Amino acid sequence: MRAKKSFINLIFNIIQQFIGIIIGFVLPPLIVSNYGSSINGLISTIKQIVTYAQTTGAGIASAGTYVMYDPIAKKDYKTLSGIFTAVKKMFIKAGNITSLIILMVAIIYPLFVRNDVDMLTTMCLVIMLGACGVSEFYFIGKYQALLSADQKNYIVAIAQSVGNILNLIVSVILIRCNCNIILVETGAMLVYITRVTLLRVYFIKHYKYIDDKKKPLTNKITQRKDAVVHEITALIVNNSSIVLVSLFIGLKQASVLSVYLLIFGGLNAICSIFSNAIYASFGDVIAKKEDKILQNAFDIYECSFIYMIFVIYVITYLMLMPFISIYTKNMTDINYYLPILGTLYVITGLANNIKIPARTLVIACGKFKETKKYSFIEAILNVISQIILINILGIYGAVIGCLISSVYRMFNFIRYTNKEILNIKNNRVYKRIIICSVVGVFIILAINNIIKFNILNYIMWFKYAIIIGVIVIIIYFIIALIFDRKTVKEGIKTIKMMF
């Protein structure tokens, strides 16, 4: 049952992420061509500001989800209702604080924007985009925490996908009609009412036993402060590069970095799909103290995940620069074609994602307090390394700085999970990493010597990507059968049980 729920969550999370990635690539060129780069840059900047403002709600969802595992497993609906009400109350408080911050930004930020965008437009855009962010706290967060704990992430994914599709349709129509950008963003904001409606209707129909008027059991959510540390440090690690590059090198170099971040941000989102789909299942196993099942399930998860991300990143390495060449062919004011930067991002992406299985288990166990010091070290290492290396190596230094902190955190997560949660040695995971790395280098060298890339458009790019993708998948599957036959068989057996 758990495996089936995880599989359903996985499928719908994949759909949601791909829709989000497509929108991320489609809308910016439309905005630039119709309203100019200044408006597009302003929207991107405001969205970043809103993301930072949303840290007022950091840790509520993850801490709330963790404490809901036990009452859901025991069908203790009285306690569950109290926790749900507490999560709701905490999100409303965070929403109030965020709303105040957004209003302050709407008044102050336009004073610092250059004259190519008028103050009223800037102010209105801050309010519109800020309203979308705040709505997450007032209307979405409590349902997301509950559905995640109940292994029903797919409901959130469906609501998000529907909202994103309608957002894209409304935005494209309004842009094509040459509507004012404020009207475009207002239309996009109103569309998100659909998400709220879908989640509310599902909650009323399927959670009649939850009394959202119950006295909030705020004392049950004891790990929120520790979860906040993880979320804020993750925000710093994931978003510091472009800020530091813009400050120390310049906006054009930041623009180059943003193109690579768009691609690798999408890849990270795809890889995180699997952890988002499965960590509630681990939480259920942990709540029921089924240690042997936990070890076996994690072995299957870790094995399949590591092989999967090596497949993704080997294909990415081979297809990245041809894609950059096509995507940036009309961007001629600075050189975007930087193979070394692409290689560094591939290695960083691998290190960043290898840790996801271990990180998933840490979240499922609620080990926020025990691991927060490592998050602090990662964030400090990330920022300091980047500042030092940017001044020596330029834009490459930013990525190397991220790589250093990612490698540290990868080894740290693996060590902690295996020692403190699973009580096993690290040999198994390190063996898989080494084997996959050697195979990856072999595939890259072989394909680069056999296939001569001459890709001129997206159609040709997709053809090459499919051919190379099939080759890489087959090779890694054979390697998995050779070195992880037992685990592969258990994984296939688990999949068959779902149908």
Side-chain angles (χ1 to χ4, degrees):
M1 188 65 178
R2 295 180 188 125
K4 188 172 183 178
K5 285 184 177 180
S6 296
F7 182 74
I8 294 170
N9 287 333
L10 176 62
I11 295 300
F12 282 100
N13 278 330
I14 289 172
I15 293 170
Q16 177 201 336
Q17 292 295 347
F18 271 106
I19 290 171
I21 291 167
I22 290 168
I23 292 171
F25 278 101
V26 170
L27 280 182
L30 289 175
I31 293 172
V32 170
S33 61
N34 284 271
Y35 304 102
S37 296
S38 296
I39 289 292
N40 185 55
L42 178 64
I43 291 172
S44 299
T45 304
I46 293 171
K47 286 181 178 179
Q48 191 63 60
I49 292 171
V50 171
T51 300
Y52 284 116
Q54 286 179 305
T55 55
T56 57
I60 298 175
S62 52
T65 297
Y66 170 67
V67 294
M68 287 182 189
Y69 289 143
D70 190 59
I72 287 174
K74 295 177 179 177
K75 296 184 179 181
D76 181 1
Y77 300 135
K78 183 179 178 180
T79 301
L80 181 61
S81 296
I83 294 170
F84 179 80
T85 308
V87 170
K88 175 184 173 182
K89 183 180 177 180
M90 293 169 75
F91 268 121
I92 290 173
K93 184 178 179 180
N96 292 337
I97 297 170
T98 306
S99 297
L100 182 61
I101 294 171
I102 295 298
L103 288 174
M104 291 172 62
V105 171
I107 295 168
I108 297 170
Y109 181 68
L111 301 174
F112 297 92
V113 177
R114 295 174 61 182
N115 295 329
D116 45 1
V117 180
D118 64 88
M119 290 183 64
L120 180 61
T121 299
T122 304
M123 187 178 294
C124 289
L125 286 174
V126 171
I127 292 171
M128 290 300 104
L129 293 168
C132 288
V134 170
S135 70
E136 297 287 329
F137 293 150
Y138 287 131
F139 308 114
I140 306 287
K142 55 183 180 289
Y143 299 130
Q144 188 166 347
L146 174 63
L147 291 166
S148 294
D150 202 19
Q151 303 177 60
K152 293 182 178 179
N153 307 70
Y154 67 92
I155 301 298
V156 179
I158 290 170
Q160 181 73 37
S161 298
V162 171
N164 282 340
I165 291 169
L166 292 176
N167 174 34
L168 177 62
I169 293 170
V170 170
S171 297
V172 170
I173 291 172
L174 292 175
I175 290 170
R176 291 300 186 192
C177 291
N178 293 316
C179 294
N180 186 282
I181 188 62
I182 296 173
L183 181 59
V184 174
E185 292 301 330
T186 303
M189 180 194 72
L190 293 174
V191 158
Y192 277 103
I193 294 174
T194 310
R195 291 173 59 201
V196 179
T197 304
L198 289 172
L199 291 174
R200 179 63 184 171
V201 169
Y202 188 88
F203 173 78
I204 292 171
K205 184 176 180 180
H206 294 274
Y207 293 95
K208 293 177 182 178
Y209 50 81
I210 291 183
D211 180 8
D212 60 358
K213 304 297 182 183
K214 194 80 175 175
K215 182 181 177 181
L217 298 176
T218 310
N219 61 307
K220 292 281 185 179
I221 308 175
T222 57
Q223 298 223 40
R224 192 220 159 172
K225 291 181 180 179
D226 300 313
V228 166
V229 172
H230 286 267
E231 293 192 17
I232 292 177
T233 53
L235 186 68
I236 292 169
V237 170
N238 294 329
N239 295 281
S240 59
S241 296
I242 197 161
V243 176
L244 292 173
V245 167
S246 65
L247 288 173
F248 287 96
I249 306 176
L251 290 175
K252 285 190 174 181
Q253 293 290 337
S255 179
V256 172
L257 202 66
S258 70
V259 171
Y260 288 85
L261 284 172
L262 180 67
I263 296 166
F264 284 92
L267 289 175
N268 287 335
I270 291 170
C271 292
S272 67
I273 288 170
F274 294 86
S275 63
N276 293 336
I278 204 169
Y279 77 81
S281 296
F282 283 129
D284 181 58
V285 173
I286 292 162
K288 294 178 179 177
K289 303 185 185 303
E290 298 171 335
D291 295 339
K292 188 64 178 177
I293 292 175
L294 177 65
Q295 287 188 357
N296 292 337
F298 185 78
D299 181 37
I300 294 169
Y301 170 48
E302 182 188 69
C303 177
S304 58
F305 192 90
I306 287 177
Y307 279 99
M308 180 200 71
I309 62 167
F310 270 95
V311 166
I312 290 172
Y313 277 93
V314 168
I315 295 169
T316 299
Y317 181 89
L318 292 164
M319 299 308 301
L320 175 63
M321 297 321 297
F323 178 83
I324 292 290
S325 179
I326 299 167
Y327 190 73
T328 63
K329 65 181 178 182
N330 295 321
M331 303 178 189
T332 56
D333 55 343
I334 191 170
N335 180 26
Y336 284 82
Y337 192 86
L338 301 172
I340 295 175
L341 188 68
T343 301
L344 289 171
Y345 259 120
V346 168
I347 299 170
T348 304
L350 273 171
N352 200 38
N353 284 288
I354 284 171
K355 72 184 180 187
I356 285 180
R359 178 178 175 272
T360 303
L361 211 51
V362 167
I363 293 172
C365 289
K367 300 289 186 180
F368 302 112
K369 183 177 181 180
E370 294 84 348
T371 57
K372 67 179 181 180
K373 64 181 178 182
Y374 305 123
S375 293
F376 271 124
I377 295 171
E378 180 189 18
I380 293 168
L381 190 61
N382 179 276
V383 174
I384 292 176
S385 298
Q386 285 191 82
I387 291 173
I388 293 172
L389 293 172
I390 283 172
N391 287 290
I392 300 172
L393 301 171
I395 193 171
Y396 301 109
V399 188
I400 295 172
C402 291
L403 175 59
I404 291 170
S405 65
S406 293
V407 169
Y408 159 76
R409 199 69 169 115
M410 177 189 76
F411 284 114
N412 176 263
F413 262 121
I414 291 172
R415 184 202 63 80
Y416 183 87
T417 301
N418 288 343
K419 182 180 179 181
E420 304 296 335
I421 300 175
L422 295 172
N423 295 313
I424 61 173
K425 294 182 179 181
N426 299 324
N427 299 357
R428 184 180 67 192
V429 63
Y430 290 150
K431 174 188 171 185
R432 286 169 179 160
I433 293 169
I434 292 168
I435 289 170
C436 287
S437 298
V438 171
V439 171
V441 171
F442 171 79
I443 292 171
I444 289 167
L445 292 174
I447 289 179
N448 277 334
N449 283 322
I450 295 169
I451 301 175
K452 302 301 178 184
F453 292 95
N454 184 26
I455 302 173
L456 303 176
N457 53 55
Y458 288 117
I459 294 174
M460 292 179 68
W461 186 89
F462 275 111
K463 287 180 180 178
Y464 273 96
I466 291 169
I467 294 168
I468 289 173
V470 170
I471 293 170
V472 174
I473 289 170
I474 290 172
I475 292 173
Y476 269 109
F477 184 72
I478 292 170
I479 296 298
L481 287 175
I482 294 171
F483 293 99
D484 279 290
R485 179 179 292 274
K486 183 180 177 182
T487 305
V488 171
K489 284 183 176 180
E490 286 295 319
I492 293 171
K493 183 180 176 182
T494 303
I495 293 172
K496 285 180 178 179
M497 288 170 62
M498 293 188 289
F499 301 101

